[in-house]
Amino acid sequence: VTAVPRCVSQIDTPAAIVDADVLEQNIGRMAHLATKAGVDLRPHVKTHKIPEIAHLQLEAGARGITVAKLGEAEVMVESGVDDIFVAYPIVGETKLDRLCRLADLVEVRVAADSWAVLEGISAAAVRHRLRIRVRLELDTGMGRCGLQSTEQAVELALRMSDLPGVELCGVMGFSGQSYAAANSGEIVEIARAEGAQVEETAHRLRELGLDAAEVSVGSTPTSQYASLMAGVTEIRPGTYVFSDRTMVGLGWGDFDDCALSVLTTVVSRPTPNRAVLDVGSKGLTNDPSPMQGFGTVQDNPDIKLSFLSEEHGVAWLPDGVRIQVGSRLRVIPNHACGTVNMFDHVYVVRGDNVLDRWDVAARGRMQ
Amino acid sequence: VTAVPRCVSQIDTPAAIVDADVLEQNIGRMAHLATKAGVDLRPHVKTHKIPEIAHLQLEAGARGITVAKLGEAEVMVESGVDDIFVAYPIVGETKLDRLCRLADLVEVRVAADSWAVLEGISAAAVRHRLRIRVRLELDTGMGRCGLQSTEQAVELALRMSDLPGVELCGVMGFSGQSYAAANSGEIVEIARAEGAQVEETAHRLRELGLDAAEVSVGSTPTSQYASLMAGVTEIRPGTYVFSDRTMVGLGWGDFDDCALSVLTTVVSRPTPNRAVLDVGSKGLTNDPSPMQGFGTVQDNPDIKLSFLSEEHGVAWLPDGVRIQVGSRLRVIPNHACGTVNMFDHVYVVRGDNVLDRWDVAARGRMQ
C-alpha cells in the first residue's frame, strides 16, 4: 500500500477522482428531495461500491441502502451498514445461504418476481430459522425483470402467503428506460406512470389484506419527481451521488455537478488535431450516453473524445487547443457506475488537495 | 480464499470460464503461424492479464510478451517473465522510473512516437545508468498513436541518435482497424499495407545506418497473414489466445474456438420470450462487436442477448426454448479482453472438471 499523495498533481494517471464538495452537494440534494417528497431514501450503492460513500449517504438521512449483488451487501455490512435491500432475484443455494447470513446480522429485504425465486428464499429461510421480507418486483416498462401486471402480482402474493419463512412487505419498480428519455417532460411521464403502476398494485394487495406498505421506485432521473408519485414510500436512486455525462444530457445539473472524473495524461500528439490519452475503455468503459463520444473534458468541452481502445482514448482537438504530451486532463465519463467499477480506488479531492483515497471495496464482488 | 470447486456445476455465477483445451489449441495455432511465417511471436498479455497464460504462451515458443501498462509488466516480471515490450508511450517521472527498474531486471523494449517521450526515457535512463531500447511507433492507419510518415520517423530517428540512454532497435505498427474489417479480403489488404509501411520505414532507417532490425506488427486479425508481410520480424497478437465473438465474426474460427465464456444463471423469466441473466455490462462489457447484441449463448445461438444493464443481461428467447429460473448458460462475449478485465479470477476447465483457478493478476494495474 503506497502513501496517499497530498495534491492532485502528484496523482499518477489514469486515476478516478471524486470531488468532495460536489459529492456532498449531490448527496444533500437528493436527501432534500426525498424529505420534501415525504419518502424514504435508499440509495443504490452499485454506483460507487464504496463504504465511505454509503455512510455519507446514511448520515445525510438515507434510511438504508440498495444493492444488486450479495457481494456488495457483504462489503457494506462489514463496514457497519445495517439496513439493506437486495433489489435482485437471488437464485441458487450458495447465494440463498449468504442472503440468510446477512439477514441474521442486519435488516434485510429482498426482491422477487417469480414463484421459483420465492420458493428458494422460503426454503433457505426455513433452513436458517428466519423470516425474510420480500418486495415483489413489477416491470414498470423497462422490459427487464418484474411481474407483468397487477393481476400477476396479486396471484403471486396470494400464493406466497402460504410459504413459510417469507413475508410480503411491499412492491418495487425500476424505470431505467428514463435514462433514454428525450427530455425532462418524458422523464416526468415515466415517473408518473411508474408511481401510478406500483401504487395501484400495492393498493390491490392491501385490499386483499396483504402487507404492501412499502412502495419503492428507482432511478436517478425519475427520483427527482418523487413528489409527483402519490403513494410511493421510497426512492432508490444511484447515479445521483456522482452524476455523469448521461445525467447532464438529461438535464440533471451541469458538468460542475459531476463529482467523478478520470484524471488522464496526454501520451501522444500524432497530428495537430489529435491527442491520445492514457485511458480507454478499460477506464471510461464503452457505456453509451445520449451525447456523442466517450467523455467530456473538464474546462475544455470542445475536445471530442471520439474513440476508445482498451488503454487509449483518442481525442479530436479544435484548432488552437494547447495540449502537449504530458498535459493532464480530467474527463467526465458517460456512465459513473461503470467507470468507478474499473478502478481499485478513488482519490477524494478538494481543489488541489487530496483528502483521502477510498477503496472501491465491492469491486469484483459480482456474485 | 475459498477452495476451488471440482466441477463446473459447483461454480457460482457469474464467473469467467476458460476451456483449457481450446486455450492450448489457440496458443499452439498462433505459435505455428509465427513459425511458418518465420517471425517472432510476442503476444499482447492485455487480453488475459494472467501470468499462467503468459507462461503457456512462452512455453509454446513466444519470444517474449507485449504489455500496454507498466502495471501489467510488473505483474508478469514478478511471475518470471524476462522479456517485455512496453508498446505504449511512457510519460511522467514516476512511470519512467518504474520503466527503468523493469529494465534493470529483465530485457525491456519500449515504444515512442515523439521527441517528448524520447527525452523522458533518455533522462530516466541516464538517471538509472541504463540504455533502453526503443521502437518507433508508426500510425499504420488506425488513427491512434504513431508517426504519420516515414519522413517523420526518419527525422525523429536521426535526432534521437544524439540522445543518451536510448537506442533505436526497430519500428512497430498496429492496425487495429482490422477489427472493423468487412471480410477476410479486407484484413489481407490491411495486413499487406501495414507490412509494406513498417518495412519501408525500417528500410529507410537502415539505409541511413540506423538500427531498425526489429519490425513488429500487431492485432490478431492481421497476424494470421504474417507470411504475406515481407520484412516483418515480429507479430504481437493478443485476442487469439481466447478468441471471442468479434473474432468469429471476422472468420477466425468458430464459437468452438472461443476459450473464454461467462457462466451465468437465469434469474427471471418475466415473459415467454424473455430471460434475464445474472451478468450485465459489469461482466460482459458494452464493448461492441460486428455481430448484433452482447454475446452468443453456447449450444443455443438463437438466443439473442439484446441488452445489458449493469448486473442484468436481457435475452430474447425463440419460441420453445426451455430455460427456467436457475438454468445456467455459457455466453461467449463480444470482446474477450474487456470481459476478463471485469473478473478477479478465471476458472480453468476441461469438460465438467475444474482444473484450476487463476487470478487475473494484472487487473486494476492501469498505470
Side-chain angles (χ1 to χ4, degrees), chain B residues 198-218:
Chain B
V198 290
E199 173 51 16
E200 186 208 316
T201 302
H203 181 74
R204 281 281 301 281
L205 295 172
R206 285 183 217 122
E207 281 184 333
L208 295 164
L210 299 167
D211 184 355
E214 299 173 5
V215 182
S216 174
V217 297

Side-chain angles (χ1 to χ4, degrees), chain A residues 12-14 46 69 88 95 113 139 143-144 268 270 274 278 282 286-287 309-311 335 342 367, chain B residues 12-14 46 69 88 95 113 139 143-144 268 270 274 278 282 286-287 309-311 335 366-367:
Chain A
D12 206 356
T13 64
K46 53 103 188 179
K69 295 284 173 161
Y88 206 86
K95 288 198 181 79
D113 68 351
D139 183 349
R144 201 171 71 180
S268 181
R274 193 198 307 161
D278 68 352
K282 283 178 174 170
N286 274 317
D287 291 359
S309 359
E310 288 163 52
E311 301 290 5
H335 187 200
M342 307 306 270
Q367 297 184 336
Chain B
D12 206 356
T13 65
K46 54 105 187 178
K69 295 283 174 162
Y88 206 87
K95 288 199 181 76
D113 68 351
D139 183 349
R144 200 172 71 179
S268 181
R274 192 198 309 162
D278 68 353
K282 282 178 174 170
N286 273 317
D287 292 358
S309 7
E310 288 162 53
E311 301 289 5
H335 187 201
M366 299 163 73
Q367 297 185 336

Side-chain angles (χ1 to χ4, degrees), chain B residues 118-234:
Chain B
L118 284 170
E119 274 192 316
I121 300 171
S122 166
V126 168
R127 275 200 306 277
H128 289 258
R129 301 167 192 268
L130 288 169
R131 283 179 76 76
I132 294 194
R133 271 174 291 190
V134 174
R135 293 167 168 182
L136 293 183
E137 177 165 3
L138 311 176
D139 183 349
T140 54
M142 191 189 181
R144 200 172 71 179
C145 294
L147 294 153
Q148 297 296 301
S149 64
T150 293
E151 290 64 41
Q152 275 191 5
V154 166
E155 192 193 323
L156 190 61
L158 287 171
R159 208 174 155 198
M160 169 187 175
S161 50
D162 292 331
L163 266 184
V166 288
E167 59 186 53
L168 185 66
C169 68
V171 297
M172 70 163 277
F174 176 67
S175 289
Q177 70 271 30
S178 59
Y179 286 101
N183 52 52
S184 58
E186 204 177 298
I187 298 174
V188 170
E189 283 318 300
I190 292 168
R192 278 188 200 277
E194 180 182 15
Q197 186 183 343
V198 290
E199 173 51 16
E200 186 208 316
T201 302
H203 181 74
R204 281 281 301 281
L205 295 172
R206 285 183 217 122
E207 281 184 333
L208 295 164
L210 299 167
D211 184 355
E214 299 173 5
V215 182
S216 174
V217 297
S219 105
T220 293
T222 56
S223 289
Q224 63 189 313
Y225 301 110
S227 59
L228 303 179
M229 295 189 261
V232 162
T233 65
E234 178 186 283

Side-chain angles (χ1 to χ4, degrees), chain B residues 272-353:
Chain B
N273 294 104
R274 192 198 309 162
V276 182
L277 314 181
D278 68 353
V279 66
S281 61
K282 282 178 174 170
L284 292 167
T285 79
N286 273 317
D287 292 358
S289 138
M291 296 186 183
Q292 280 199 315
F294 295 95
T296 293
V297 177
Q298 271 185 351
D299 307 323
N300 222 327
D302 293 337
I303 297 174
K304 308 288 176 210
L305 200 40
S306 40
F307 79 89
L308 305 178
S309 7
E310 288 162 53
E311 301 289 5
H312 302 76
V314 179
W316 177 88
L317 310 179
D319 291 336
V321 170
R322 284 169 179 258
I323 282 182
Q324 300 171 324
V325 169
S327 294
R328 288 151 65 96
L329 307 174
R330 274 162 75 171
V331 178
I332 309 288
N334 278 353
H335 187 201
C337 318
T339 299
V340 172
N341 186 50
M342 307 306 270
F343 289 85
D344 284 342
H345 42 249
V346 300
Y347 292 93
V348 189
V349 310
R350 177 167 285 135
D352 192 43
N353 296 320

